[in-house]
Amino acid sequence: MSQSETIATFEDFALNRQLLNAVDDLGYTEPSPIQQKAIPLILQGHDVLGIAQTGTGKTAAFVLPLLMIAKYAQGEHARCLILAPTRELVSQINDEITQLGKYTDLRHVALYGGVGPKDQTETLRKGIDIIVATPGRFLDLYSKGEIFARGIRYLILDEADKMMDMGFMPQIRRILEVIPRQRKNLLFSATFSDRVERLSQEFLEAPGRVEVTPQATAAETVEQWLYEVPNFRTKLNLLAHLLENKEVVRAIVFTRTKTVADNVHKFLGRKIMDKKNLRVIHANKGQNTRMNSMEAFKAGEVRVLVSTDVSARGIDINEVSHVFNFDVPVIYEDY
Ligand code: AMP
């Protein structure tokens, strides 16, 4: 039998009681396929290339073994660095660390731009074990002397394909120059393109490669409709009409640009909806506003969230009843 078939429960991993209890509290009964494959390899100290999309449990697949390896609070300087492309993803990973690490004393912080650095630097100065960061904010604080990078032993690139799409490669290279060469590396990506392959060759040493196919393709679990409409005005009216359907309990409307997101938001607010059931998020909104909107949406207080695809990418929100792609998405996998 292969290793993945022998691991049926979290107890089968060499994880400590603190972590198993946290997993239990979260109600995870069995490890997902990516967790079954990746956790043993990471615990054995291998570099890992993980091809897995959001929704597969890939975050816990690297967070759990990292928490196991980091064990408890030690010294002042970070030993693990997790890089992710967006503020939302950074805070989502950080939240998962909070939940899975709740019975450990490990110290961690989410570093992202769009907010003042004060809280982030204060947390860093108290001593830190794990940093989760967007590449830009990490370099920013590093260059201000707020981060001591020579203690980093584990580097994780999450959603590496997105980071490349978003042009973060130069920053990532600069980060590689300031952290020790002697370290373990984990690279997670939703897709395995030529670029990801090249990055993994450059960045990983004899990696264990783990891959999960998406659990179900959209065609299997989601009903899809395409409406062809002649112009912007008609498209707005059609959207408003569709949103008035009672079956639309909680919906995300994706647009390609900030301007369209704002226009859709304004139109819906004027035409069909109470403004308190409606929010818009995109990169020009302040970080706090975006977080609040996301939280309110997750909590079910907001019925319709209008978002540029970049702002909401990788976000895992259960129980969204409908997704409207106001524009045809540019990147096939995002769709
Ligand atoms: P991710 O792919 O990391 O974004 O995770 C998707 C969702 O699955 C998150 O809400 C996790 O909390 C949840 N999750 C992760 N691992 C498990 C598991 N083994 N069983 C059930 N849910 C899980």
Side-chain angles (χ1 to χ4, degrees), residues 10 28-32 35 53-60 92 96 316:
F10 281 99
Y28 301 171
T29 49
E30 61 182 70
S32 69
Q35 292 163 0
Q53 299 182 338
T54 296
T56 54
K58 51 130 176 133
T59 315
Q92 200 165 288
E96 198 130 343
D316 168 59

Side-chain angles (χ1 to χ4, degrees), residues 9-148:
T9 72
F10 281 99
E11 306 272 340
D12 297 330
F13 297 125
L15 295 170
N16 60 32
R17 195 31 58 197
Q18 287 96 312
L19 296 174
L20 292 174
N21 287 346
V23 165
D24 219 37
D25 289 355
L26 284 169
Y28 301 171
T29 49
E30 61 182 70
S32 69
I34 189 75
Q35 292 163 0
Q36 299 197 9
K37 293 176 186 169
I39 292 174
L41 285 172
I42 302 171
L43 287 175
Q44 285 159 21
H46 291 285
D47 276 13
V48 166
L49 168 64
I51 307 296
Q53 299 182 338
T54 296
T56 54
K58 51 130 176 133
T59 315
F62 62 81
V63 165
L64 274 172
L66 273 188
L67 294 176
M68 180 67 199
I69 291 161
K71 266 207 178 87
Y72 41 78
Q74 279 176 52
E76 280 172 57
H77 306 305
R79 290 170 288 147
C80 303
L81 171 61
I82 302 169
L83 296 174
T86 63
R87 312 163 199 193
E88 282 80 9
L89 195 63
V90 163
S91 63
Q92 200 165 288
I93 296 167
N94 191 51
D95 288 348
E96 198 130 343
I97 297 176
T98 305
Q99 292 183 319
L100 290 169
K102 70 195 238 200
Y103 298 118
T104 75
D105 64 352
L106 288 164
R107 303 150 303 172
H108 54 101
V109 66
L111 307 180
Y112 44 72
V115 291
K118 190 164 164 282
D119 289 352
Q120 297 174 5
T121 51
E122 273 172 15
T123 309
L124 285 167
R125 285 175 193 174
K126 283 184 216 146
I128 202 78
D129 299 292
I130 303 170
I131 293 175
V132 193
T134 54
R137 180 50 70 101
F138 179 88
L139 282 172
D140 205 25
L141 293 176
Y142 174 81
S143 65
K144 293 198 173 89
E146 295 292 348
I147 295 171
F148 179 84

